[in-house]
Amino acid sequence: SAQVFPAAGIPYSVKQRGGVIFEFNQEASLGVDPFTGISTITDYFFHGDLARMLPLLAAAVGERYEA
């Protein structure tokens, strides 16, 4: 869970090392600014559950590289 440590610290560790964060969830939960409600750490946010959204992302990426 992105709310329970030590697992919640993984995205911050990834960002410190120059990684990119993809978040798949019903609502932003990683590093959310309490005033704006916007994630301060997520690079790409996909609204919805992983099982539904990941195949859509894979198809879009595949179409881009096939063209």
Side-chain angles (χ1 to χ4, degrees):
S1 168
Q3 305 298 316
V4 180
F5 283 88
I10 294 172
Y12 296 97
S13 180
V14 169
K15 289 301 280 189
Q16 287 176 343
R17 290 166 175 77
V20 178
I21 303 295
F22 291 78
E23 182 177 1
F24 295 82
N25 210 340
Q26 296 299 327
E27 59 186 55
S29 64
L30 295 174
V32 175
D33 181 292
F35 298 106
T36 65
I38 297 172
S39 175
T40 59
I41 191 170
T42 299
D43 296 296
Y44 299 97
F45 178 76
F46 298 86
H47 183 257
D49 64 85
L50 181 66
R52 182 173 156 267
M53 299 306 294
L54 191 57
L56 296 174
L57 174 62
V61 169
E63 288 174 9
R64 178 183 168 110
Y65 286 100
E66 289 174 4

